[in-house]
Amino acid sequence: MTIKRISNEAFEKIITGKFKDNTSCVIKFYSNSCPLCHGLRQEYHTIAESFDDLFFYAFNVDEYPHVERMVPIKGVPSIAFVKGPPQFSVNLLEDPPAEKAHEDMWYHPEQIIKFIKENIK
């Protein structure tokens, strides 16, 4: 699955459950100035390719400075899983303990994959 950058308008529709598709999606929150976000970029693409039934999005928080009003992210990178209707929900991937964080991309790929699989159920 390819990753699409989403606009503020599309983000708001997805995060409030006002989208037509009943398909779940994964959103990576990033900033252009974040080295960990850049480190995660290729791995996120690799993960997206292994899930045919999900949409994968990237959302630049620099373009929407009040994102935390919609989703309680603590920083970037952050990963959210959004379940489509009829059981709409937004779940955030927990940050790893600082001593276990991947030094180049914050999350370990296995952590992201496990989070996605747990939320698909």
PDB file of all heavy atoms in Angstrom, residues 1 5 11 13 23 41 52-53 61 63 66-67 86-87 90 95 104 110-112 114-115 119:
ATOM      1  N   MET A   1       0.848  -1.167   0.000  1.00  0.00           N
ATOM      2  CA  MET A   1       0.000   0.000   0.000  1.00  0.00           C
ATOM      3  C   MET A   1       0.898   1.236   0.000  1.00  0.00           C
ATOM      4  O   MET A   1       1.877   1.293   0.740  1.00  0.00           O
ATOM      5  CB  MET A   1      -0.882  -0.031   1.250  1.00  0.00           C
ATOM      6  CG  MET A   1      -1.916   1.050   1.347  1.00  0.00           C
ATOM      7  SD  MET A   1      -3.292   1.015   0.208  1.00  0.00           S
ATOM      8  CE  MET A   1      -4.099  -0.513   0.576  1.00  0.00           C
ATOM      9  N   ARG A   5       0.217  11.591   1.762  1.00  0.00           N
ATOM     10  CA  ARG A   5       0.186  12.732   2.678  1.00  0.00           C
ATOM     11  C   ARG A   5      -1.240  13.245   2.697  1.00  0.00           C
ATOM     12  O   ARG A   5      -1.898  13.288   1.664  1.00  0.00           O
ATOM     13  CB  ARG A   5       1.116  13.841   2.188  1.00  0.00           C
ATOM     14  CG  ARG A   5       2.572  13.498   2.397  1.00  0.00           C
ATOM     15  CD  ARG A   5       3.477  14.686   2.158  1.00  0.00           C
ATOM     16  NE  ARG A   5       3.183  15.717   3.137  1.00  0.00           N
ATOM     17  CZ  ARG A   5       3.166  17.025   2.840  1.00  0.00           C
ATOM     18  NH1 ARG A   5       3.409  17.438   1.627  1.00  0.00           N
ATOM     19  NH2 ARG A   5       2.898  17.905   3.779  1.00  0.00           N
ATOM     20  N   PHE A  11      -7.480  15.106   7.214  1.00  0.00           N
ATOM     21  CA  PHE A  11      -7.124  14.644   8.555  1.00  0.00           C
ATOM     22  C   PHE A  11      -8.307  14.813   9.516  1.00  0.00           C
ATOM     23  O   PHE A  11      -8.650  13.896  10.255  1.00  0.00           O
ATOM     24  CB  PHE A  11      -5.904  15.418   9.069  1.00  0.00           C
ATOM     25  CG  PHE A  11      -5.624  15.203  10.520  1.00  0.00           C
ATOM     26  CD1 PHE A  11      -5.138  13.985  10.978  1.00  0.00           C
ATOM     27  CD2 PHE A  11      -5.858  16.214  11.439  1.00  0.00           C
ATOM     28  CE1 PHE A  11      -4.884  13.792  12.337  1.00  0.00           C
ATOM     29  CE2 PHE A  11      -5.605  16.029  12.782  1.00  0.00           C
ATOM     30  CZ  PHE A  11      -5.115  14.815  13.226  1.00  0.00           C
ATOM     31  N   LYS A  13     -11.478  14.974   8.846  1.00  0.00           N
ATOM     32  CA  LYS A  13     -12.542  14.023   8.507  1.00  0.00           C
ATOM     33  C   LYS A  13     -12.210  12.626   9.034  1.00  0.00           C
ATOM     34  O   LYS A  13     -13.068  11.940   9.589  1.00  0.00           O
ATOM     35  CB  LYS A  13     -12.767  13.968   7.001  1.00  0.00           C
ATOM     36  CG  LYS A  13     -13.523  15.144   6.461  1.00  0.00           C
ATOM     37  CD  LYS A  13     -13.756  14.999   4.977  1.00  0.00           C
ATOM     38  CE  LYS A  13     -14.478  16.216   4.441  1.00  0.00           C
ATOM     39  NZ  LYS A  13     -14.686  16.120   2.988  1.00  0.00           N
ATOM     40  N   THR A  23     -12.908   1.444   6.037  1.00  0.00           N
ATOM     41  CA  THR A  23     -11.605   0.815   6.135  1.00  0.00           C
ATOM     42  C   THR A  23     -10.761   1.527   7.174  1.00  0.00           C
ATOM     43  O   THR A  23     -10.797   2.746   7.277  1.00  0.00           O
ATOM     44  CB  THR A  23     -10.886   0.882   4.767  1.00  0.00           C
ATOM     45  OG1 THR A  23     -11.724   0.294   3.788  1.00  0.00           O
ATOM     46  CG2 THR A  23      -9.576   0.150   4.796  1.00  0.00           C
ATOM     47  N   ARG A  41      10.969   7.101   8.077  1.00  0.00           N
ATOM     48  CA  ARG A  41      10.286   7.189   6.778  1.00  0.00           C
ATOM     49  C   ARG A  41      10.352   5.902   5.960  1.00  0.00           C
ATOM     50  O   ARG A  41       9.337   5.371   5.539  1.00  0.00           O
ATOM     51  CB  ARG A  41      10.858   8.347   5.970  1.00  0.00           C
ATOM     52  CG  ARG A  41      10.142   8.561   4.665  1.00  0.00           C
ATOM     53  CD  ARG A  41      10.637   9.835   4.002  1.00  0.00           C
ATOM     54  NE  ARG A  41       9.842  10.088   2.833  1.00  0.00           N
ATOM     55  CZ  ARG A  41      10.317  10.051   1.601  1.00  0.00           C
ATOM     56  NH1 ARG A  41      11.590   9.795   1.396  1.00  0.00           N
ATOM     57  NH2 ARG A  41       9.526  10.283   0.577  1.00  0.00           N
ATOM     58  N   ASP A  52      -2.168  -5.024   2.897  1.00  0.00           N
ATOM     59  CA  ASP A  52      -2.958  -4.675   1.721  1.00  0.00           C
ATOM     60  C   ASP A  52      -4.313  -4.061   2.054  1.00  0.00           C
ATOM     61  O   ASP A  52      -4.890  -3.355   1.240  1.00  0.00           O
ATOM     62  CB  ASP A  52      -3.208  -5.922   0.853  1.00  0.00           C
ATOM     63  CG  ASP A  52      -1.923  -6.439   0.243  1.00  0.00           C
ATOM     64  OD1 ASP A  52      -0.993  -5.636   0.030  1.00  0.00           O
ATOM     65  OD2 ASP A  52      -1.852  -7.654  -0.003  1.00  0.00           O
ATOM     66  N   ASP A  53      -4.825  -4.334   3.238  1.00  0.00           N
ATOM     67  CA  ASP A  53      -6.190  -3.940   3.561  1.00  0.00           C
ATOM     68  C   ASP A  53      -6.291  -2.677   4.408  1.00  0.00           C
ATOM     69  O   ASP A  53      -7.344  -2.364   4.939  1.00  0.00           O
ATOM     70  CB  ASP A  53      -6.904  -5.090   4.271  1.00  0.00           C
ATOM     71  CG  ASP A  53      -6.110  -5.611   5.468  1.00  0.00           C
ATOM     72  OD1 ASP A  53      -4.924  -5.279   5.587  1.00  0.00           O
ATOM     73  OD2 ASP A  53      -6.694  -6.349   6.272  1.00  0.00           O
ATOM     74  N   VAL A  61       2.771  17.700  11.046  1.00  0.00           N
ATOM     75  CA  VAL A  61       2.242  18.519  12.141  1.00  0.00           C
ATOM     76  C   VAL A  61       2.666  19.979  12.029  1.00  0.00           C
ATOM     77  O   VAL A  61       2.043  20.850  12.647  1.00  0.00           O
ATOM     78  CB  VAL A  61       2.619  17.949  13.533  1.00  0.00           C
ATOM     79  CG1 VAL A  61       2.056  16.556  13.715  1.00  0.00           C
ATOM     80  CG2 VAL A  61       4.113  17.971  13.752  1.00  0.00           C
ATOM     81  N   GLU A  63       2.208  21.756   9.548  1.00  0.00           N
ATOM     82  CA  GLU A  63       1.133  22.410   8.804  1.00  0.00           C
ATOM     83  C   GLU A  63      -0.161  22.505   9.601  1.00  0.00           C
ATOM     84  O   GLU A  63      -1.137  23.101   9.153  1.00  0.00           O
ATOM     85  CB  GLU A  63       0.890  21.659   7.494  1.00  0.00           C
ATOM     86  CG  GLU A  63       2.092  21.680   6.572  1.00  0.00           C
ATOM     87  CD  GLU A  63       1.944  20.775   5.379  1.00  0.00           C
ATOM     88  OE1 GLU A  63       0.859  20.208   5.162  1.00  0.00           O
ATOM     89  OE2 GLU A  63       2.925  20.628   4.634  1.00  0.00           O
ATOM     90  N   HIS A  66      -2.044  22.725  15.812  1.00  0.00           N
ATOM     91  CA  HIS A  66      -2.934  22.386  16.928  1.00  0.00           C
ATOM     92  C   HIS A  66      -3.423  20.944  16.857  1.00  0.00           C
ATOM     93  O   HIS A  66      -4.499  20.624  17.339  1.00  0.00           O
ATOM     94  CB  HIS A  66      -4.108  23.363  16.976  1.00  0.00           C
ATOM     95  CG  HIS A  66      -3.671  24.791  17.054  1.00  0.00           C
ATOM     96  ND1 HIS A  66      -3.012  25.310  18.144  1.00  0.00           N
ATOM     97  CD2 HIS A  66      -3.758  25.801  16.163  1.00  0.00           C
ATOM     98  CE1 HIS A  66      -2.727  26.582  17.924  1.00  0.00           C
ATOM     99  NE2 HIS A  66      -3.161  26.902  16.734  1.00  0.00           N
ATOM    100  N   VAL A  67      -2.620  20.075  16.277  1.00  0.00           N
ATOM    101  CA  VAL A  67      -2.993  18.675  16.096  1.00  0.00           C
ATOM    102  C   VAL A  67      -3.321  18.001  17.423  1.00  0.00           C
ATOM    103  O   VAL A  67      -4.209  17.150  17.492  1.00  0.00           O
ATOM    104  CB  VAL A  67      -1.913  17.893  15.317  1.00  0.00           C
ATOM    105  CG1 VAL A  67      -0.634  17.776  16.127  1.00  0.00           C
ATOM    106  CG2 VAL A  67      -2.403  16.532  14.905  1.00  0.00           C
ATOM    107  N   PRO A  86     -18.207   0.761  11.480  1.00  0.00           N
ATOM    108  CA  PRO A  86     -19.148   1.274  12.482  1.00  0.00           C
ATOM    109  C   PRO A  86     -18.561   1.395  13.876  1.00  0.00           C
ATOM    110  O   PRO A  86     -19.169   1.991  14.746  1.00  0.00           O
ATOM    111  CB  PRO A  86     -20.256   0.233  12.476  1.00  0.00           C
ATOM    112  CG  PRO A  86     -19.564  -1.046  12.154  1.00  0.00           C
ATOM    113  CD  PRO A  86     -18.437  -0.666  11.218  1.00  0.00           C
ATOM    114  N   GLN A  87     -17.380   0.849  14.141  1.00  0.00           N
ATOM    115  CA  GLN A  87     -16.781   0.913  15.477  1.00  0.00           C
ATOM    116  C   GLN A  87     -15.618   1.890  15.463  1.00  0.00           C
ATOM    117  O   GLN A  87     -14.469   1.522  15.705  1.00  0.00           O
ATOM    118  CB  GLN A  87     -16.315  -0.464  15.922  1.00  0.00           C
ATOM    119  CG  GLN A  87     -17.430  -1.461  16.058  1.00  0.00           C
ATOM    120  CD  GLN A  87     -16.903  -2.850  16.356  1.00  0.00           C
ATOM    121  OE1 GLN A  87     -15.760  -3.176  16.086  1.00  0.00           O
ATOM    122  NE2 GLN A  87     -17.757  -3.683  16.921  1.00  0.00           N
ATOM    123  N   VAL A  90      -9.803   5.812  17.701  1.00  0.00           N
ATOM    124  CA  VAL A  90      -8.452   6.282  17.413  1.00  0.00           C
ATOM    125  C   VAL A  90      -7.557   5.796  18.548  1.00  0.00           C
ATOM    126  O   VAL A  90      -7.811   6.099  19.713  1.00  0.00           O
ATOM    127  CB  VAL A  90      -8.387   7.820  17.324  1.00  0.00           C
ATOM    128  CG1 VAL A  90      -6.959   8.281  17.071  1.00  0.00           C
ATOM    129  CG2 VAL A  90      -9.327   8.355  16.259  1.00  0.00           C
ATOM    130  N   ASP A  95       4.662   5.384  23.362  1.00  0.00           N
ATOM    131  CA  ASP A  95       6.081   5.662  23.183  1.00  0.00           C
ATOM    132  C   ASP A  95       6.880   4.590  23.908  1.00  0.00           C
ATOM    133  O   ASP A  95       6.505   4.165  25.000  1.00  0.00           O
ATOM    134  CB  ASP A  95       6.442   7.021  23.781  1.00  0.00           C
ATOM    135  CG  ASP A  95       5.927   8.182  22.954  1.00  0.00           C
ATOM    136  OD1 ASP A  95       5.622   7.973  21.771  1.00  0.00           O
ATOM    137  OD2 ASP A  95       5.851   9.295  23.496  1.00  0.00           O
ATOM    138  N   ASP A 104      17.593   5.783  15.864  1.00  0.00           N
ATOM    139  CA  ASP A 104      17.458   6.458  14.576  1.00  0.00           C
ATOM    140  C   ASP A 104      16.020   6.790  14.194  1.00  0.00           C
ATOM    141  O   ASP A 104      15.797   7.615  13.317  1.00  0.00           O
ATOM    142  CB  ASP A 104      18.061   5.606  13.458  1.00  0.00           C
ATOM    143  CG  ASP A 104      19.556   5.429  13.627  1.00  0.00           C
ATOM    144  OD1 ASP A 104      20.218   6.353  14.134  1.00  0.00           O
ATOM    145  OD2 ASP A 104      20.058   4.353  13.268  1.00  0.00           O
ATOM    146  N   GLU A 110       9.177  -3.691  14.720  1.00  0.00           N
ATOM    147  CA  GLU A 110       8.352  -4.761  15.287  1.00  0.00           C
ATOM    148  C   GLU A 110       7.261  -4.195  16.197  1.00  0.00           C
ATOM    149  O   GLU A 110       6.169  -4.735  16.284  1.00  0.00           O
ATOM    150  CB  GLU A 110       9.210  -5.754  16.097  1.00  0.00           C
ATOM    151  CG  GLU A 110      10.324  -6.401  15.327  1.00  0.00           C
ATOM    152  CD  GLU A 110      11.565  -5.509  15.210  1.00  0.00           C
ATOM    153  OE1 GLU A 110      11.830  -4.651  16.083  1.00  0.00           O
ATOM    154  OE2 GLU A 110      12.282  -5.668  14.203  1.00  0.00           O
ATOM    155  N   GLN A 111       7.571  -3.106  16.888  1.00  0.00           N
ATOM    156  CA  GLN A 111       6.604  -2.451  17.771  1.00  0.00           C
ATOM    157  C   GLN A 111       5.432  -1.890  16.948  1.00  0.00           C
ATOM    158  O   GLN A 111       4.271  -2.016  17.330  1.00  0.00           O
ATOM    159  CB  GLN A 111       7.300  -1.330  18.547  1.00  0.00           C
ATOM    160  CG  GLN A 111       6.424  -0.608  19.532  1.00  0.00           C
ATOM    161  CD  GLN A 111       7.138   0.560  20.206  1.00  0.00           C
ATOM    162  OE1 GLN A 111       8.218   0.989  19.777  1.00  0.00           O
ATOM    163  NE2 GLN A 111       6.535   1.078  21.255  1.00  0.00           N
ATOM    164  N   ILE A 112       5.731  -1.296  15.817  1.00  0.00           N
ATOM    165  CA  ILE A 112       4.692  -0.737  14.952  1.00  0.00           C
ATOM    166  C   ILE A 112       3.829  -1.853  14.372  1.00  0.00           C
ATOM    167  O   ILE A 112       2.600  -1.772  14.373  1.00  0.00           O
ATOM    168  CB  ILE A 112       5.317   0.111  13.824  1.00  0.00           C
ATOM    169  CG1 ILE A 112       6.080   1.299  14.424  1.00  0.00           C
ATOM    170  CG2 ILE A 112       4.238   0.594  12.851  1.00  0.00           C
ATOM    171  CD1 ILE A 112       6.925   2.056  13.423  1.00  0.00           C
ATOM    172  N   LYS A 114       3.318  -4.897  15.512  1.00  0.00           N
ATOM    173  CA  LYS A 114       2.516  -5.493  16.588  1.00  0.00           C
ATOM    174  C   LYS A 114       1.313  -4.601  16.917  1.00  0.00           C
ATOM    175  O   LYS A 114       0.193  -5.083  17.067  1.00  0.00           O
ATOM    176  CB  LYS A 114       3.374  -5.706  17.832  1.00  0.00           C
ATOM    177  CG  LYS A 114       2.616  -6.317  19.002  1.00  0.00           C
ATOM    178  CD  LYS A 114       3.512  -6.484  20.208  1.00  0.00           C
ATOM    179  CE  LYS A 114       2.692  -7.011  21.373  1.00  0.00           C
ATOM    180  NZ  LYS A 114       3.414  -6.968  22.623  1.00  0.00           N
ATOM    181  N   PHE A 115       1.526  -3.297  16.998  1.00  0.00           N
ATOM    182  CA  PHE A 115       0.456  -2.338  17.279  1.00  0.00           C
ATOM    183  C   PHE A 115      -0.626  -2.410  16.208  1.00  0.00           C
ATOM    184  O   PHE A 115      -1.816  -2.444  16.508  1.00  0.00           O
ATOM    185  CB  PHE A 115       1.072  -0.931  17.357  1.00  0.00           C
ATOM    186  CG  PHE A 115       0.080   0.187  17.422  1.00  0.00           C
ATOM    187  CD1 PHE A 115      -0.666   0.416  18.566  1.00  0.00           C
ATOM    188  CD2 PHE A 115      -0.098   1.026  16.323  1.00  0.00           C
ATOM    189  CE1 PHE A 115      -1.579   1.471  18.622  1.00  0.00           C
ATOM    190  CE2 PHE A 115      -0.991   2.074  16.366  1.00  0.00           C
ATOM    191  CZ  PHE A 115      -1.741   2.293  17.519  1.00  0.00           C
ATOM    192  N   ASN A 119      -4.629  -3.825  16.575  1.00  0.00           N
ATOM    193  CA  ASN A 119      -5.762  -2.942  16.308  1.00  0.00           C
ATOM    194  C   ASN A 119      -6.646  -3.415  15.164  1.00  0.00           C
ATOM    195  O   ASN A 119      -7.788  -2.982  15.054  1.00  0.00           O
ATOM    196  CB  ASN A 119      -5.268  -1.521  16.045  1.00  0.00           C
ATOM    197  CG  ASN A 119      -4.969  -0.795  17.324  1.00  0.00           C
ATOM    198  OD1 ASN A 119      -5.863  -0.287  17.972  1.00  0.00           O
ATOM    199  ND2 ASN A 119      -3.702  -0.778  17.714  1.00  0.00           N
TER     200      ASN A 119
END
